[in-house]
Amino acid sequence: MSLTSHIRLMAHYNEWMNAKLYAAAATLTAQQLAENRGAFFGSLLGTMNHIVVADTIWLTRFLTHPAAWAELEAVRALPQPAALDQLLYGDLPALHGARCELDAIIVRWAGALRESELDHVLHYANSKGVVSDKLFHSLVMHFFNHQTHHRGQATTLLSQAGADIGSTDLLGVIPNQRAP
């Protein structure tokens, strides 16, 4: 499988899992969503906001790639976070709308990627101002891994609140193949 094929698979997995995550979160009250449960970002709402915040930050960094993907241009119009723990959206419906918009952008962008664009070294500064130069394909893998990491935390918080998200396995979106 090519790297671009894997990135497209991860974009679809991200979209699939977020739909499941938000459907399960919608079964909880606003109070349950905002309750501090001792997670990295406190509440389920805080954790889900963090995923949106981090995705927005990374996609904004990806805009500096020389490929200048038109599929990412919509990111410029999104609220730009000032901190990793910022609550960009104070309620689930607003957060869900932003999540759906981001997921659509990610899927379109993944579909536009070319293998030749993945070996670029991206120069960027993190939220503390530390400058790095890293291979773009490694940053894209981190982007998807970060989402998975924090969705794992969110699914634990949902489970603690009595909501079942169902299967979270990547296997759910890997297509079946015929053996030769």
Side-chain angles (χ1 to χ4, degrees):
M1 175 185 282
S2 69
L3 277 175
T4 53
S5 294
H6 185 69
I7 290 166
R8 288 179 187 110
L9 175 69
M10 293 307 294
H12 287 291
Y13 174 68
N14 172 63
E15 184 177 48
W16 177 70
M17 278 304 305
N18 284 331
K20 292 170 65 89
L21 181 72
Y22 280 78
T27 67
L28 303 181
T29 66
Q31 182 180 358
Q32 288 173 305
L33 291 169
E35 179 183 341
N36 187 334
R37 297 178 184 274
F40 288 178
F41 297 94
S43 65
L44 183 58
L45 191 64
T47 301
M48 293 167 72
N49 261 283
H50 171 71
I51 300 169
V52 166
V53 163
D55 284 1
T56 303
I57 289 170
W58 277 110
L59 292 173
T60 300
R61 289 175 186 156
F62 294 171
L63 278 164
T64 67
H65 189 289
W69 298 283
E71 294 79 7
L72 288 182
E73 278 303 312
V75 173
R76 294 186 197 280
L78 298 176
Q80 294 298 309
L84 294 173
D85 61 353
Q86 184 175 352
L87 282 179
L88 284 176
Y89 303 95
D91 61 64
L92 190 63
L95 183 59
H96 187 215
R99 179 74 265 165
C100 288
E101 183 177 3
L102 274 174
D103 289 347
I105 291 168
I106 293 166
V107 167
R108 284 192 306 270
W109 165 72
L113 281 172
R114 295 188 181 124
E115 289 289 322
S116 61
E117 297 163 338
L118 297 175
D119 286 332
H120 175 74
V121 174
L122 192 73
H123 178 81
Y124 70 95
N126 71 13
S127 60
K128 294 179 181 173
V130 177
V131 174
S132 294
D133 296 293
K134 305 225 185 244
L135 279 173
F136 186 68
H137 66 81
S138 296
L139 295 174
V140 174
M141 292 302 114
H142 167 74
F143 172 73
F144 288 116
N145 187 63
H146 179 267
Q147 296 166 348
T148 301
H149 166 69
H150 286 294
R151 271 195 308 267
Q153 293 174 331
T155 59
T156 297
L157 297 174
L158 283 163
S159 178
Q160 290 171 350
D164 181 13
I165 191 168
S167 174
T168 62
D169 290 339
L170 177 61
L171 290 172
V173 295
I174 296 174
N176 285 323
Q177 301 290 317
R178 292 196 123 152

